[in-house]
Amino acid sequence: MYEELIAKMNPCPKLNLQWYKNEDLYSDGEVEDFIIKIIAENRPEDYSNAVYEQFNWPIYYHLSPLRKNILNWYKFKPDSSVLEIGCGMGAITSVLCDECKDVTAVELSRKRATATLLRCREKENLEIIVGNLNDIEFDKKYDYITLIGVLEYQGTYTESTNPYMDFLVKIKQLLKPDGKLLVAIENQYGLKYWCGMPEDHVGIPFEGINQYRDVERGVRTFSKTALDTLIKESGFHNTYFYYPYPDYKLPTVIYSQDVLPSKKDTINSENFRDYSSADKNTLIANEKKLYTDIVENGVFEFFANSFLVECSDSSQLGEITFARLTSERKEQYRMATRFTKQNTVEKKPLTKMCEQTHVKQMLKNVDLIKQAGIKIAEYRVDDGILVSSYIQKPILEDVIMEALKENNADEIYRLIDQVYREILQSSEQVSWKDNILYTLGLEIEENEEAFGPILKVGFLDMSFRNSFYCDGEILWFDQEWVLEAVPAKFILYYALTLLYYSYSQLEQCCPSPDVIKRYHMENAYEAFKEFQELFGYLVADEAQVVTGGTFLIDGTVDYISNVKKLMK
C-alpha cells in the first residue's frame, strides 16, 4: 500500500521483511493511515501544527513530543547498539538513533513499521525488522534493549506456560554481559486505577486491582514487587526503578528510587495528566488531590502509575536520579534538567534548535548577570550539555516558607525587598516610554509612575524558586528567559505570582493586596497579568495548549501577531 510513497521518499533506514507473516495483529484503525500521511508531509519530528488542527487521542498519542520523554533524558553509552522491541510508530526510535551508534527496531505491524521508516527517514543508523521477536534470529548482541509498553502483552505473543519470564529470558540472551534492559510498563496498582480509570489494556475499571479476573489470559501488568521479582527470576541480577510522572506514556518528570516526590512537588505540580476525560462515569476520586497524602505516608512507589526499570547484571545503575522535561514548549525551548549521582545538574537540549539558540542564550544570560555584579551559578559545556555542580544550599522559596511558619511577615518582606533590589541591579535602565507593554498592541495607557523603572534587559527567572540563599546573599541559577525594555516591577510581579500560586497560605501572613500596594503595582496589575499570559503563548507549543497540556493558558484573545514582536 505504501510502496509508492516509500519509493518517492527514499528513506535511509533499512526495512527488513524477512520475518513478516503478511498480517498485522493490531491497529488503531484508519487513523493510522492519516498519521502516516502527517508523518510523510511534515519535517521529521515536527507535527505540532497537524496535531493542533486535527486533534484526536491516537494522533496526539503517537505524535506528541511528550512521548519521547520516557528516554530522551537517559544517558546512553557512546557508540552503543540498541534493540528496540515494539517501536510502534517511531515515537521513541528517533531518540535512540540520535543517542546510539546503531538501532535495530522490531515491530509486529508492517503499517506501524512503515510509519517509523518514514518518521526516521533521515536516520542512516536504523534497521527496522517487521515480525515477532520470538521468530527472529539475531546475529549480534546489544548494549541496550528497550521494552516500552511491550512486556504486558507477552501472554498473547509468547506461547509458553510462563510467557512473561520466558520472554525476558530470551531477551537477556540478546544483551552483552554488561548490557541493560529498559522496561516501561503501567503499575497494576497505579493510583489512576484506584480512582476508577479503566485499565489501559482491557478497558475495565479495577480489572488489574481485581487480578484480571474478568479477562482471558493475554495481557497483564504487575506491582513493583512482582515486577522486580519477575525480572530477577528471569536472570537479571540488579534493577533500578524510575517513576515517570504522571505515567510513562506522556511523562514530564522522572522520579527514581533515590529521588522521590516531596510534598511540595505534589502540591505544586503543574505536570499532571487529566485522566478524567477518558471516562468520567467510572471515576470515584480525584487523583491529583490524593498525591499529597500518598507522598506524606511514604507509599508513592506502590501507587505510582508507571514504572521504568533499568535491569542488568551490572551494578552501575541509576546514574541519573531525577529528570524534569519541558517538551510541552516550542521546539526551540525544549530541555531536560537531570540530576546525577556525581552531584551535577545537567541542562540537556532536546532538539538541535534548542542547542543552537536557547542554550547559547542561557550562557549569555550568565555573563550579563555577572557583569551586573550579581552572583549566579555558572555552567561548563560538555558536548552541547550545560553542566553545573549541585549546590547544597536552601532555595530562597524554602527560606520564605520557614519565615511563614513563624508568622514573620517582616522577614518575608525583607527577602522580597532583597530580590527586588537585585532585579533593579541586573540591568541598566531605558526611557519609560520604551516600555515593551506599549509596543504590543495591548491598548495599555502610557504611565511612567504605574510601571516604574524600565530595564534594558529583564531576566524573567529572577524568582524565589530560581535562587539559593547563602549566608544572607542570593545566588541565582537557571536564568533562561530574557525580555527587552521590561518593567522591573513586572519581573517581581512574575516571581510573586509563582510564589503565591504555590503557597496560598502566604495570604494569611502577607496578603497579596498588601504586597501589591507595598510595591506600587495597583495601576499596573491588570497589564502585568495580560503580559504574563502573552509570554505563555510565546513559550508553549500550541498542540500542548489545545489539548490541556502542562502549559495550559486561559483566554480567547488572539495573541499570535503580538507573540512575534516578543521573539528575538
Side-chain angles (χ1 to χ4, degrees), residues 194-378:
W194 292 99
C195 292
M197 174 76 178
E199 205 275 352
D200 286 50
H201 310 92
V202 301
I204 302 172
F206 304 103
E207 185 60 18
I209 293 171
N210 286 323
Q211 309 301 312
Y212 296 94
R213 67 185 184 188
D214 297 321
V215 296
E216 296 181 2
R217 172 184 178 273
V219 61
R220 66 153 301 155
T221 56
F222 305 90
S223 67
K224 179 190 174 182
T225 298
L227 182 59
D228 189 51
T229 300
L230 172 65
I231 291 168
K232 289 178 177 175
E233 289 182 350
S234 301
F236 292 92
H237 294 162
N238 300 299
T239 58
Y240 188 89
F241 273 75
Y242 290 100
Y243 305 97
Y245 178 85
D247 64 12
Y248 85 82
K249 292 185 175 72
L250 300 169
T252 53
V253 182
I254 308 293
Y255 294 106
S256 75
Q257 62 188 54
D258 287 324
V259 179
L260 296 172
S262 66
K263 179 181 177 181
K264 181 174 70 173
D265 291 331
T266 54
I267 290 176
N268 301 329
S269 176
E270 297 175 357
N271 302 304
F272 181 79
R273 181 177 164 199
D274 182 7
Y275 293 99
S276 62
S277 59
D279 190 346
K280 293 182 179 179
N281 295 325
T282 68
L283 294 175
I284 60 174
N286 185 313
E287 179 185 349
K288 186 175 182 180
K289 292 182 178 178
L290 293 175
Y291 270 113
T292 299
D293 284 342
I294 283 173
V295 169
E296 287 184 342
N297 284 279
V299 291
F300 175 80
E301 293 176 280
F302 179 82
F303 286 103
N305 282 328
S306 295
F307 307 122
L308 173 66
V309 194
E310 199 177 17
C311 321
S312 181
D313 288 344
S314 169
S315 60
Q316 301 300 311
L317 301 179
E319 182 178 357
I320 304 296
T321 59
F322 174 82
R324 186 177 297 278
L325 301 313
T326 60
S327 294
E328 77 283 356
R329 296 177 180 177
K330 287 185 171 69
E331 182 181 1
Q332 63 267 39
Y333 304 127
R334 293 175 190 162
M335 299 191 77
T337 301
R338 59 191 190 189
F339 289 69
T340 76
K341 281 188 174 178
Q342 289 72 43
N343 287 323
T344 61
V345 181
E346 302 179 349
K347 307 287 286 191
K348 178 188 177 184
L350 299 179
T351 67
K352 286 292 184 184
M353 189 181 296
C354 180
E355 182 178 352
Q356 294 165 358
T357 59
H358 198 52
V359 166
K360 290 181 179 179
Q361 182 63 58
M362 290 178 67
L363 289 169
K364 182 179 179 181
N365 293 347
V366 171
D367 288 338
L368 290 172
I369 290 174
K370 284 173 57 182
Q371 290 171 19
I374 295 174
K375 292 187 175 182
I376 183 169
E378 297 190 52

Side-chain angles (χ1 to χ4, degrees), residues 490-556:
F490 174 75
I491 305 295
L492 181 63
Y493 161 86
Y494 195 85
L496 288 168
T497 56
L498 292 175
L499 183 67
Y500 275 74
Y501 173 79
S502 302
Y503 301 98
S504 58
Q505 61 267 41
L506 272 168
E507 295 283 0
Q508 302 169 13
C509 183
C510 302
S512 54
D514 292 351
V515 176
I516 292 170
K517 289 180 180 178
R518 180 183 178 91
Y519 296 100
H520 308 292
M521 296 182 186
E522 303 97 317
N523 297 325
Y525 182 83
E526 291 300 322
F528 285 168
K529 183 178 178 181
E530 191 170 6
F531 186 47
Q532 182 179 24
E533 184 175 306
L534 174 58
F535 179 77
Y537 273 99
L538 165 68
V539 174
D541 184 329
E542 292 88 346
Q544 311 308 317
V545 173
V546 76
T547 55
T550 62
F551 218 106
L552 180 62
I553 302 163
D554 296 324
T556 57

Side-chain angles (χ1 to χ4, degrees), residues 3 19 23 75 131 149 209 231 258 286 351 377 420 440 471 474 476 537:
E3 283 77 7
W19 310 98
E23 62 174 345
K75 191 174 287 191
I209 293 171
I231 291 168
D258 287 324
N286 185 313
T351 67
Y420 189 43
L440 297 174
D471 301 321
I474 296 175
W476 300 97
Y537 273 99

